[in-house]
């Protein structure tokens, strides 16, 4: 069974940066789509970024929602079995609980229902 634990959230002023971590256990993240979603109060959970393997376990491509392109970077560390989300130039509208998720195979999806494993979430608050 896969367990995912997020960390790194906190309070930051607009324009600041945070790095979120998602530590995976039970199986390696390599070869499985890894994604970050976020959910603000009163809103639906939305896709933020993902790693897509495309049949390989040594190379991945990253995908982002338009509103975070150029500001957020998703990456992974095989040795630590950890996925990161580096968030720069943060805006108040980025405020949400951020969740890490792992898919069933190497292909990412924009739909949260396509992911089998989820972390507990970490709060990110951006003040203006």
């Amino acid at each position: 069974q896969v367990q995912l634990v997020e960390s790194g959230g906190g309070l930051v002023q607009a324009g600041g940066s945070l790095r979120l971590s998602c530590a995976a256990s039970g199986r390696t993240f390599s070869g499985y789509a890894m994604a970050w979603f976020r959910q603000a109060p009163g809103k639906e959970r939305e896709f933020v970024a993902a790693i897509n393997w495309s049949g390989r376990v040594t190379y991945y491509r990253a995908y982002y929602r338009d509103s975070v392109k150029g500001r957020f970077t998703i990456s992974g560390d095989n040795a630590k079995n950890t996925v990161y989300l580096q968030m720069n130039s943060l805006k108040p509208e980025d405020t949400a609980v951020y969740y890490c998720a792992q898919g069933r195979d190497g292909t990412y999806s924009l739909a949260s229902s396509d992911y089998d494993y989820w972390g507990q979430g970490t709060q990110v608050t951006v003040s203006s």
Side-chain angles (χ1 to χ4, degrees), residues 16-124:
S17 299
L18 287 172
R19 187 177 75 162
L20 306 183
S21 298
C22 174
S25 62
R27 69 183 183 185
T28 180
F29 76 86
S30 299
Y32 297 92
M34 299 294 300
W36 288 95
F37 286 77
R38 66 187 182 187
Q39 188 167 23
K43 296 186 177 181
E44 296 293 320
R45 189 168 298 186
E46 65 180 17
F47 172 83
V48 178
I51 287 171
N52 189 95
W53 293 96
S54 298
R56 297 186 178 185
V57 297
T58 57
Y59 177 81
Y60 62 82
R61 296 186 65 183
Y63 296 86
Y64 305 91
R65 69 179 298 110
D66 288 343
S67 63
V68 308
K69 287 181 179 177
R71 300 190 298 121
F72 291 10
T73 302
I74 187 171
S75 62
D77 186 328
N78 288 345
K80 297 180 179 179
N81 207 33
T82 299
V83 175
Y84 303 96
L85 185 68
Q86 178 67 46
M87 305 185 295
N88 298 325
S89 301
L90 283 162
K91 304 175 181 179
E93 50 263 45
D94 295 319
T95 296
V97 177
Y98 283 70
Y99 297 90
C100 178
Q102 186 175 71
R104 303 180 183 95
D105 54 32
T107 304
Y108 88 103
S109 172
L110 301 177
S112 61
S113 60
D114 288 333
Y115 295 85
D116 287 341
Y117 301 99
W118 292 84
Q120 81 289 344
T122 185
Q123 176 71 48
V124 172

